[in-house]
Amino acid sequence: DEVGLLAQVGTQLGIALQQAELLKKTQQQTVKLNQTLQALKRTQARLVQGEKMAGLGQLSAGIAHEINNPVGFISSNLEPMQEYVSGILELLQLYQHQYPEPEQLIQEKIDDIELAFILEDLPKIMASMKMGTSRIVDIVKSMQNFSRLDEAAIKNVNIHEGIDSALLILKHRLKANKQRPTINIVKSYGELPFIQCYASHLNQVFMNILVNAMDAVDGDIVSDRENPEIYISTHWQEIQKSLLIQISDNGPGIPEGILANIFNPFFTTKPVGKGTGLGLSISYQIVTEMHGGKLSCRSTLGQGTTFYIEIPLTIAEPIQVTGPGDV
């Protein structure tokens, strides 16, 4: 009986070991499947965003090119036109000084066109036209910088130009509306060297994070925050030979449970049609995989959110990572 009992126990132990081994293999396969699924999601996100940004880049470059030509004509002619108008105004004033009592027909025309008002207002109109043209030129330049068609090449780039280009394109988002006053942009730029990077891709990162910051202060702002603000700072890290870009908002902050998932592909808390869940995921890949840098986020409920972008001075080759890791 004892021998039979021992045999039965041995058989049960053998079955238990087989089941444990099978469970271990199943768990390993589950881990591998999850890793494969995450890799497929990242690849899908990269392809979707890559196609989207390629089309947007070509569209922006085309629009910028088409606008640049006529604006160039206007801009180049405004300077001599301003000189001509100034000369004519000086001539009119000279006539008024030499002939203070014009004939009745001329006086009637002077009164009809309100010459005194024209003499005062025309220089202001010319200055306004010149300012508006300069504004268009700046916008076109920003569109060209943002949509760099040489995006496949590593370039020596001034990071501040990329940030400023993104801000200029998003300037309409900063204006006051019914929900909030004007969003204040505070910049604290440090002395930075030119860095080697994929310029248009980093511009996407700045655009995505700035849009998220603007969405944050557009939403349910904490009651004691009457002045929505986005703070941007840059700092050179000599020991690490890298630059640190910090983008903060004083919005409501991100709950801890959500914060752990913000870099996951297709994860979004925004309403349908407002967010795709690709922006931060693609930004993470651009910073970490393409540039070998770091992208992290810290947030405190009721106090706001800060993104930290760290980019090395030079890129040896694109670095592959398996996932977003800890935030």
Side-chain angles (χ1 to χ4, degrees):
D1 290 342
E2 291 181 359
V3 173
L5 182 60
L6 288 173
Q8 186 178 1
V9 170
T11 301
Q12 290 176 348
L13 284 173
I15 293 173
L17 287 172
Q18 290 177 354
Q19 290 177 341
E21 187 67 25
L22 180 61
L23 178 60
K24 183 179 179 181
K25 289 181 179 179
T26 302
Q27 290 174 339
Q28 290 174 345
Q29 290 175 346
T30 301
V31 170
K32 289 181 179 179
L33 286 173
N34 284 331
Q35 291 175 346
T36 303
L37 178 61
Q38 292 302 318
L40 286 172
K41 283 185 176 181
R42 290 195 300 272
T43 302
Q44 181 186 13
R46 189 186 299 113
L47 290 172
V48 171
Q49 187 74 355
E51 186 69 20
K52 175 182 174 183
M53 294 309 299
L56 179 60
Q58 292 177 356
L59 178 63
S60 298
I63 293 174
H65 177 73
E66 292 302 321
I67 294 176
N68 200 41
N69 288 334
V71 169
F73 300 148
I74 297 172
S75 180
S76 61
N77 286 313
L78 271 179
E79 199 69 38
M81 183 178 176
Q82 192 169 26
E83 294 179 6
Y84 300 157
V85 169
S86 297
I88 293 173
L89 292 180
E90 290 174 2
L91 179 62
L92 284 173
Q93 291 171 340
L94 186 59
Y95 265 104
Q96 286 182 320
H97 183 266
Q98 295 294 326
Y99 302 99
E101 299 294 334
E103 295 184 2
Q104 183 177 355
L105 186 62
I106 295 177
Q107 185 61 50
E108 289 176 357
K109 190 63 176 178
I110 289 174
D111 295 338
D112 185 44
I113 66 173
E114 299 181 350
L115 181 60
F117 175 76
I118 291 176
L119 292 175
E120 179 184 353
D121 196 49
L122 192 54
K124 298 178 182 177
I125 292 176
M126 293 298 302
S128 179
M129 290 172 63
K130 193 172 181 180
M131 182 184 301
T133 305
S134 297
R135 163 84 171 146
I136 295 173
V137 170
D138 290 340
I139 293 174
V140 170
K141 184 179 178 182
S142 295
M143 290 176 68
Q144 290 172 329
N145 287 339
F146 182 77
S147 64
R148 295 174 188 267
L149 294 180
D150 57 351
E151 61 182 27
I154 297 175
K155 300 287 185 182
N156 286 324
V157 172
N158 180 349
I159 286 297
H160 294 153
E161 289 183 357
I163 298 173
D164 290 340
S165 294
L167 284 172
L168 188 57
I169 293 172
L170 294 171
K171 191 171 183 179
H172 66 285
R173 290 285 311 271
L174 305 176
K175 296 179 179 178
N177 56 38
K178 294 180 180 179
Q179 286 74 36
R180 56 151 180 81
T182 300
I183 300 174
N184 187 34
I185 299 292
V186 179
K187 293 191 289 188
S188 178
Y189 287 171
E191 292 291 332
L192 301 181
F194 279 61
I195 69 163
Q196 289 185 2
C197 68
Y198 297 93
S200 71
H201 288 83
L202 271 187
N203 288 344
Q204 291 177 41
V205 174
F206 302 145
M207 182 74 78
N208 290 335
I209 293 178
L210 285 169
V211 166
N212 273 275
M214 293 174 187
D215 287 342
V217 296
D218 261 339
D220 299 326
I221 303 175
V222 181
S223 59
D224 64 345
R225 298 194 179 279
E226 299 178 355
N227 299 309
E229 182 177 280
I230 294 175
Y231 173 78
I232 306 169
S233 69
T234 60
H235 174 68
W236 172 246
Q237 302 180 122
E238 180 61 33
I239 297 177
Q240 296 90 339
K241 296 297 180 185
S242 64
L243 61 89
L244 180 65
I245 303 154
Q246 179 179 330
I247 300 177
S248 306
D249 66 70
N250 62 349
I254 303 173
E256 186 175 348
I258 294 176
L259 190 63
N261 297 308
I262 61 172
F263 294 124
N264 291 338
F266 303 103
F267 177 83
T268 181
T269 58
K270 296 178 182 178
V272 176
K274 191 174 176 86
T276 62
L278 290 176
L280 291 179
S281 172
I282 291 295
S283 296
Y284 188 91
Q285 293 180 44
I286 290 172
V287 173
T288 60
E289 296 181 13
M290 296 186 68
H291 294 87
K294 298 176 183 178
L295 175 59
S296 60
C297 176
R298 295 178 185 174
S299 185
T300 302
L301 288 178
Q303 296 184 21
T305 303
T306 300
F307 282 89
Y308 301 89
I309 309 165
E310 187 175 344
I311 305 294
L313 178 63
T314 58
I315 304 175
E317 59 181 71
I319 299 174
Q320 299 297 322
V321 296
T322 57
D326 296 332
V327 177

